[in-house]
Amino acid sequence: MLDDPRFTAEVELSIPFHDVDMMGVMWHGHYFRYFEIAREALLNQFDYGYRQMKASGYLWPVVDAHIKYRNVLTFEQRIRVRARIEEFENRLRIGYEIFDADTGKRATTGYTIQVAVEEKSHELCFVSPDILFERMGVTP
């Protein structure tokens, strides 16, 4: 079911100068920003981006994040960042991979976990809200 292309998104980017350290290697903290770009593209595919999340009455903070650095990324390197929904019933777990756009060599893997929080009460939802299932076109 999660092999559906609506639940995977990919963006292509080039590493800008301001994201690298003095050695020309992308600074480790910027990888999460690239994950975020791919995550936003993914969520927008089924019309549940951050504006729609907030409008639906739910906040979706990231509560856990993990990254595995496999190969360095460097200034002006062209990359593809892939985001894929891995879990959605009780939390939103999105997996990421970063590849060199020219060689296809995988450079990085990781994931983020987001949970739904009711905006008005600030209460954590232990099951993802119906609006997520509706937007994804799945049944809980």
Side-chain angles (χ1 to χ4, degrees):
M1 204 270 320
L2 291 181
D3 291 337
D4 186 320
R6 292 177 303 147
F7 306 133
T8 301
E10 197 167 279
V11 295
E12 189 166 314
L13 306 164
S14 180
I15 307 296
F17 179 73
H18 60 80
D19 280 356
V20 299
D21 61 21
M22 63 185 283
M23 296 169 280
V25 173
M26 188 161 87
W27 181 67
H28 68 277
H30 290 309
Y31 286 76
F32 287 107
R33 180 175 15 176
Y34 289 47
F35 286 2
E36 176 68 28
I37 292 168
R39 180 170 61 233
E40 186 174 9
L42 172 63
L43 296 171
N44 285 332
Q45 283 184 175
F46 50 90
D47 197 31
Y48 201 55
Y50 291 115
R51 290 188 190 278
Q52 292 85 2
M53 286 177 171
K54 185 165 176 47
S56 74
Y58 295 95
L59 309 173
W60 287 84
V62 172
V63 296
D64 193 10
H66 176 78
I67 194 165
K68 174 82 172 174
Y69 305 98
R70 299 178 181 277
N71 293 292
V72 298
L73 299 175
T74 57
F75 173 55
E76 292 185 330
Q77 182 176 0
R78 289 180 338 103
I79 61 170
R80 287 181 295 110
V81 185
R82 181 179 302 151
R84 184 173 68 85
I85 294 180
E86 297 178 340
E87 297 176 31
F88 61 90
E89 292 89 353
N90 300 310
R91 61 189 187 167
L92 194 54
R93 179 183 163 123
I94 300 175
Y96 306 91
E97 294 177 289
I98 298 178
F99 301 91
D100 179 277
D102 297 323
T103 67
K105 185 176 182 179
R106 186 170 56 183
T108 309
T109 59
Y111 65 82
T112 56
I113 295 175
Q114 295 171 258
V115 295
V117 173
E118 287 187 24
E119 184 177 21
K120 289 182 181 177
S121 67
H122 292 340
E123 288 189 30
L124 173 68
C125 301
F126 292 102
V127 175
S128 293
D130 289 341
I131 185 68
L132 177 65
F133 299 111
E134 290 169 18
R135 294 294 171 97
M136 291 177 67
V138 299
T139 55

